[in-house]
Amino acid sequence: MILSISGVVLLGVIVFLFTRKDGLKITHAVVCALFGFYLAGTAVAPGIKAGGASLASLLDSIRF
């Protein structure tokens, strides 16, 4: 659950920065968010979630 919330916050910050600095229009951000909600309801969602968890564990294993 914590990973999901952190991911949402991180992606929200990225969208905010793209909107402010790189000229992403609000309508494009809304369309991307709606696409994410619809994608979460498909059969692809468990694979995307597993990929995100795998990436998170990979990043966790890297020591600086």
Side-chain angles (χ1 to χ4, degrees):
M1 181 70 171
I2 298 298
L3 182 63
S4 298
I5 293 171
S6 300
V8 167
V9 170
L10 176 66
L11 291 173
V13 168
I14 290 171
V15 168
F16 176 77
L17 290 175
F18 280 165
T19 303
R20 298 290 290 174
K21 301 292 181 187
D22 292 336
L24 179 71
K25 295 181 181 172
I26 295 294
T27 54
H28 296 149
V30 169
V31 168
C32 289
L34 289 174
F35 175 70
F37 282 117
Y38 285 120
L39 186 63
T42 66
V44 183
I48 293 171
K49 188 173 183 176
S54 176
L55 179 65
S57 67
L58 175 73
L59 293 175
D60 185 46
S61 68
I62 297 174
R63 301 288 176 224
F64 295 103

